[in-house]
Amino acid sequence: MPALETAVSMEADGAAFSGVYARPESPVATLVLAHGAGAGMEHPFLRGFTGALNDDGVATLRFNFPYREAGRKFPDRPPAAIAAWRAAMDAAAARSEGEPLWAAGKSFGGRMASMAVAEGMAAAGLVYLGYPLHPPGKPEKLRDEHLYGINTPGRSVPMLFLQGTRDTFATRELLESVVERIGPAATLQWCEGGDHSFAVAGRKRPAEEIGAELAAPVVEFIRLHGASPRNSAGPGPGTKRGSTPPAPGGAG
């Protein structure tokens, strides 16, 4: 039986925004999910992704950034986006029963999650669905410096990078170098043939199905690194840095 979705109202620095919460029975973790710069929380890719997570025992809260809620085209500046992230994590925590809270995002949403954690926001782990390491064609303009301050001697935050091998927002050699520099807490899993939306040339598939298929490695990573022991079936084999499973298809 699919997990029931309920609407959530939130506020950050005076800006109202909304989310959708879904909780399966006895979840192993809760994952809070933010959208990319060009699409909101109701994009089929994100709906498929969270639905598959729910089916596999992970509660989810996906949310709109305030700019999207207000109908604006340009993303919020980092301070506003980080404030929204903190509010969303608080909303998820208020609905949890003590299971680990993970932060995840598509592109811009994942980068803002990492910046929030770098600034002290608590999270059991981070998941990046297409990390925007640099603008397309501008590999010299890296967005990586804050990533190296997330893990400290007193704090280890596991990070999963899911990235398409054709993603123009992350040159392969550069992203591998960044993950290597972050250290053992970071895992990079390449999706062979995928672009920034995880679209694969010659393999047309609905965005909802693509998002759903990306949930499997995320659930595996959560169970390995941060699932609730009372609910987890136990860790399976971990994903390995540099592995190249086929991408699910294409995403919007």
Side-chain angles (χ1 to χ4, degrees):
M1 180 178 179
L4 179 66
E5 292 190 339
T6 58
V8 179
S9 297
M10 294 165 280
E11 184 177 309
D13 292 341
F17 62 103
S18 65
V20 176
Y21 179 74
R23 185 179 185 82
E25 185 177 358
S26 300
V28 300
T30 291
L31 182 139
V32 182
L33 176 68
H35 57 80
M41 67 176 179
E42 294 299 343
H43 191 281
F45 176 85
L46 299 183
R47 291 183 63 90
F49 179 65
T50 55
L53 289 175
N54 299 155
D55 290 344
D56 211 358
V58 177
T60 57
L61 172 61
R62 65 181 189 272
F63 70 94
N64 276 334
F65 285 111
Y67 81 92
R68 186 76 187 185
E69 196 80 8
R72 297 191 299 271
K73 293 183 178 180
F74 295 102
D76 296 316
R77 300 292 297 170
I82 290 170
W85 253 112
R86 289 182 178 275
M89 291 292 277
D90 287 345
R95 290 161 174 79
S96 77
E97 295 179 358
E99 69 272 6
L101 299 179
W102 285 65
K106 178 72 182 78
S107 193
F108 170 79
R111 185 165 73 96
M112 292 300 105
S114 65
M115 292 179 71
V117 173
E119 292 189 8
M121 184 182 81
L126 285 159
V127 176
Y128 309 111
L129 304 177
Y131 187 81
L133 182 60
H134 55 74
K138 299 180 179 180
E140 72 280 3
K141 295 186 176 181
L142 294 179
R143 303 156 171 163
D144 65 330
E145 199 59 40
H146 68 283
L147 295 172
Y148 310 123
I150 290 176
N151 288 288
T152 65
R155 181 178 74 161
S156 179
V157 181
M159 301 181 221
L160 174 62
F161 291 78
L162 288 179
Q163 205 85 20
T165 57
R166 295 190 302 115
D167 191 341
T168 58
F169 283 81
T171 303
R172 183 164 188 157
E173 294 77 11
L174 287 176
L175 185 56
E176 288 178 346
S177 176
V178 167
V179 170
E180 185 72 24
R181 182 177 169 187
I182 292 172
T187 294
L188 171 58
Q189 184 166 329
W190 290 105
C191 295
E192 188 62 44
D195 64 10
H196 192 56
S197 295
F198 297 93
V200 176
R203 194 181 178 205
K204 187 174 179 61
R205 304 185 73 184
E208 187 168 1
E209 185 175 332
I210 298 153
E213 289 196 4
L214 284 178
V218 174
V219 173
E220 182 182 31
F221 191 77
I222 288 174
R223 289 183 181 274
L224 182 65
H225 292 279
S228 175
R230 61 188 173 87
N231 295 329
S232 176
T239 51
K240 300 195 182 290
R241 185 174 302 151
S243 61
T244 54

